[in-house]
Amino acid sequence: IKLKPRGGGKRVPVTACCFSPNGDMIAGAGRMGSVQIWERKQQRVGPRAKKKVYTAHEPQTETSCVAFASDNRALASRGGDGTLKLWDVRKFKKPVVEWKQDLPNDYPTSDVAFSPKGDLIICGTTSKAPDDKKAGRGGELVFFSRKTRKEVQRVRICSASVVRVIWNAKLNQIFCGCSDGATRVLYDPELSRNGALLCVKKKAKRKSAMDFSTFLHIKNPNALPLFAETQNPKRIRQKKRADPVASKKPMEPLKGEGTGGRVGLHNLTTHLMQCMAKKNLRNEDPREALLAWDEKAKADPLFFGNAYKETQPEQIYEEDKDEDEDEESEQIKELKKKISSTPMGADPEAHRKDWR
């Protein structure tokens, strides 16, 4: 969807747009003062609008807002030329009524809104300048009747300008956003629901004697630099040393894998060192280490599988010696020591009895 002037050419900047309540129409306003409507019922929604008025407001002024009524038959436009116009969507050629008396609009986002029933139209006004004759009135909220086509009432909101206006149907309250940054709410104690009434119904907090404060300044002379205790230079150096920022302590190396773009110490060297530290073979008995693999080798042989199981030779181990043979061997060793310890020239037959 594009907004173009009457003679075509360049696109026109869009200053305001809105959907109808039933979603069948889109209304848009351009800086050249035109107001155009696109309908969903038409076969092809092209850049050109089906209904358009090129002279809805003065050229080179920003139409700040367009709004549909709840019955989808009326359209209101708030112009930057200080006017408010009501249009009939069915006969979209001339405005049904135009209000332009004392409706200044200096903000490109000033709103216009319908009441929930669609019988009233509201809009805000810009605060008067100091040199104006009616200066001091401030921002106002103006009500217009759709049936009588006349102004119904003016309500002064604040000294600032009234820019944004919303009439909430569920709460039945009017919210006004002003140029001073505050939001004012208009409500009816009987017709409105919740919203601002939740705050108004609360009772004011009762004042207590404990809430009284004298706002006296507390003076602590010991906090002044003049009364500060002088510290030992050695103690100052120790504190700075303990502080990693003041001492410019380098970052400690990471333990494990690296994170955050930093390289960790988990590499091949550290892996081998950790494995060597865990497996200390110096204090390990080799016989027990081999016997630990005996049962595993029998259950799942690695070098000789089941194919060589029947042809393998029998394992022959040294037989255990008897205790008597061990005792005789010890006696022979003692006898040899006696013979070797006998002096030269002694009778060798002296030990023959023992030898026998």
Side-chain angles (χ1 to χ4, degrees), residues 103-239:
L103 293 174
N105 181 16
D106 297 338
Y107 290 88
T109 56
S110 295
D111 284 337
V112 60
F114 283 89
S115 62
K117 295 181 180 180
D119 55 346
L120 295 176
I121 307 171
I122 59 174
C123 69
T125 62
T126 304
S127 180
K128 298 293 183 179
D131 55 350
D132 201 311
K133 294 181 180 180
K134 296 182 180 180
R137 294 175 61 179
E140 297 176 333
L141 186 65
V142 189
F143 294 78
F144 299 94
S145 176
R146 182 180 169 187
K147 294 181 179 180
T148 61
R149 303 176 184 178
K150 293 182 180 180
E151 181 181 327
V152 178
Q153 189 179 2
R154 283 178 178 263
V155 179
R156 186 184 183 278
I157 303 300
C158 60
S159 59
S161 302
V162 179
V163 184
R164 310 307 301 267
V165 176
I166 298 176
W167 194 325
N168 191 285
K170 293 183 179 180
L171 303 179
N172 198 13
Q173 299 175 10
I174 302 173
F175 296 84
C176 302
C178 304
S179 59
D180 58 353
T183 302
R184 274 83 177 181
V185 184
L186 280 70
Y187 66 93
D188 189 294
E190 298 180 357
L191 301 179
S192 299
R193 296 181 180 179
N194 297 333
L197 293 178
L198 299 177
C199 303
V200 174
K201 291 181 180 179
K202 291 183 178 180
K203 295 182 180 180
K205 184 180 178 181
R206 297 180 62 182
K207 294 184 179 181
S208 175
M210 300 299 295
D211 298 336
F212 178 75
S213 59
T214 57
F215 299 101
L216 296 177
H217 296 283
I218 300 175
K219 297 181 180 179
N220 185 9
N222 294 328
L224 299 176
L226 179 63
F227 298 95
E229 296 181 359
T230 56
Q231 296 183 356
N232 189 5
K234 184 178 180 180
R235 187 176 181 83
I236 294 173
R237 288 195 300 270
Q238 290 178 355
K239 286 185 177 181

Side-chain angles (χ1 to χ4, degrees), residues 58 71 80 82 86-87 137 204 237 252 261 306 318-319 351:
E58 293 183 6
D71 56 359
L86 181 65
W87 307 82
R137 294 175 61 179
R237 288 195 300 270
E252 296 182 359
N306 296 326
E318 184 181 0
E319 296 180 358
H351 300 286

